[in-house]
Amino acid sequence: MARHLRFISRTVMVQNGDVDAAYKTLNRILTQDGIVDTVKRKRYYEKPCRERQRKNFENCRRIYHTEMARKIAFISRTNREDPWLGC
Amino acid sequence: LRGYYWSGLDCSFNVTFVLSAPLNGNTASLCGSRALQRTICSSAIRHQEKKASSSAKTAKDFSYLPPLPGHDSALRWGGKKFEDLPIVHIKATYNNTHIQLTDSAGQSVVRTSCGTEGFKNIKKSTPIAAQTAGISAAAKATAKGVSFVRVVVKGLGPGRLSAIKGLTMGGLEVVSITDNTPVPHNGCRPRKARRT
């Protein structure tokens, strides 16, 4: 980011000389913000038709995964209030 | 867009301070952040000045965020403020890793790479080569009297982490790690897709 102020964003301080933990934190932030993904994808050109296919696929995948997670969470409910309270 | 990349970190800090005030709560909640905290923070909100002023300066208070030049923080490394520390630029390409140490103004001090360490061709694109380059760069830097250093990493290559490890193994103290990987907002068209 040549036109931005330096050392403001994408920066992690190292605590007690623990470089590994700081690097892990930085990596986690970058992946969560989608930067690692973007950099890998932009290494080679992605044609617009391929981009539309990929976006469509990722949309469907996201819907499927959220619905499946919802279903599993619903089926595996373990913390319920006692239905036979008092008996 | 200054605060864009700090969305997740900012919000988790806010939530931490509001919910509880443990001594080492920051690191614990950050490393073991729940999904709830992550899904809440998806907007680009920047509260760094407010956060820095509102964060209590307890004995063990540590912030993952760097001290801003305008904001007077009491942190000093070797007597220097954060913005006066020398910078190590690590360019981790897919075929090689370059390490250049500059002072805070930008004057180059030390320059090493996997190629200058004697590796050739494919051996340059290995983490071990990056580590040796880091060690030699740290040795040359300590010979010139540098101790604390900020690291700026550019690129996603094999030597990204091992170069920093090499710096610490060589004796330099890493104070902060910045990622300066160039992300075009759809600028130049990259080369065509490889078909393997």
Side-chain angles (χ1 to χ4, degrees):
Chain A
M1 300 201 294
R3 300 193 186 173
H4 295 258
L5 286 177
R6 305 158 85 193
F7 298 102
I8 287 191
S9 59
R10 298 199 249 170
T11 307
V12 173
M13 303 294 286
V14 168
Q15 188 182 25
N16 300 333
D18 197 358
V19 178
D20 288 320
Y23 184 78
K24 261 189 176 178
T25 314
L26 181 68
N27 238 354
R28 186 188 319 132
I29 293 169
L30 292 178
T31 15
Q32 281 178 4
D33 289 346
I35 297 186
V36 168
D37 221 24
T38 319
V39 167
K40 278 196 206 153
R41 195 173 313 123
K42 287 198 185 293
R43 191 180 170 194
Y44 303 112
Y45 182 64
E46 185 184 25
K47 291 188 181 175
C49 67
R50 301 280 300 158
E51 186 182 346
R52 286 192 298 270
Q53 288 173 355
R54 179 185 51 88
K55 281 201 154 57
N56 197 13
F57 169 75
E58 279 180 5
N59 248 344
C60 299
R61 191 164 162 267
R62 182 174 301 127
I63 293 169
Y64 178 82
H65 282 324
T66 46
E67 288 300 308
M68 182 58 89
R70 220 176 116 236
K71 184 178 188 178
I72 292 174
F74 178 76
I75 291 174
S76 62
R77 283 171 307 165
T78 46
N79 294 335
R80 315 177 191 197
E81 63 275 9
D82 186 8
W84 309 107
L85 190 64
C87 297
Chain B
L1 280 179
R2 276 171 65 182
Y4 174 72
Y5 297 112
W6 282 104
S7 52
L9 201 49
D10 268 346
C11 296
S12 72
F13 261 89
N14 265 331
V15 172
T16 312
F17 277 109
V18 162
L19 287 181
S20 59
L23 283 177
N24 55 351
N26 295 338
T27 38
S29 65
L30 195 64
C31 296
S33 63
R34 306 274 173 256
L36 187 60
Q37 283 185 2
R38 263 187 245 146
T39 46
I40 283 176
C41 328
S42 51
S43 55
I45 302 173
R46 177 133 181 118
H47 295 306
Q48 182 153 17
E49 286 83 15
K50 197 168 80 175
K51 186 197 321 310
S53 61
S54 68
S55 69
K57 283 289 170 193
T58 55
K60 287 289 171 190
D61 200 340
F62 170 75
S63 164
Y64 277 95
L65 303 166
L68 290 188
H71 179 80
D72 313 304
S73 75
L75 297 170
R76 297 283 182 274
W77 292 270
K80 292 188 185 174
K81 285 194 205 172
F82 183 73
E83 56 264 20
D84 299 322
L85 290 173
I87 311 166
V88 168
H89 287 93
I90 299 180
K91 180 171 182 179
T93 59
Y94 293 99
N95 292 328
N96 202 343
T97 311
H98 303 258
I99 301 179
Q100 182 166 30
L101 181 83
T102 73
D103 64 358
S104 56
Q107 293 294 315
S108 171
V109 173
V110 166
R111 198 159 95 168
T112 39
S113 77
C114 299
T116 59
E117 298 307 300
F119 293 93
K120 302 259 184 228
N121 298 330
I122 200 172
K123 305 227 178 47
K124 292 189 296 192
S125 59
T126 49
I128 303 148
Q131 191 176 328
T132 35
I135 295 174
S136 97
K140 291 182 192 174
T142 43
K144 298 210 173 183
V146 172
S147 50
F148 295 92
V149 106
R150 316 176 257 182
V151 166
V152 173
V153 193
K154 193 178 274 200
L156 292 176
R160 208 167 119 104
L161 174 62
S162 47
I164 311 177
K165 294 280 274 299
L167 288 177
T168 36
M169 282 167 63
L172 278 185
E173 272 277 336
V174 171
V175 157
S176 74
I177 308 178
T178 321
D179 178 86
N180 198 14
T181 319
V183 163
H185 300 329
N186 290 346
C188 301
R189 178 170 169 148
R191 55 157 292 181
K192 68 178 184 183
R194 294 179 69 209
R195 293 177 298 281
T196 46

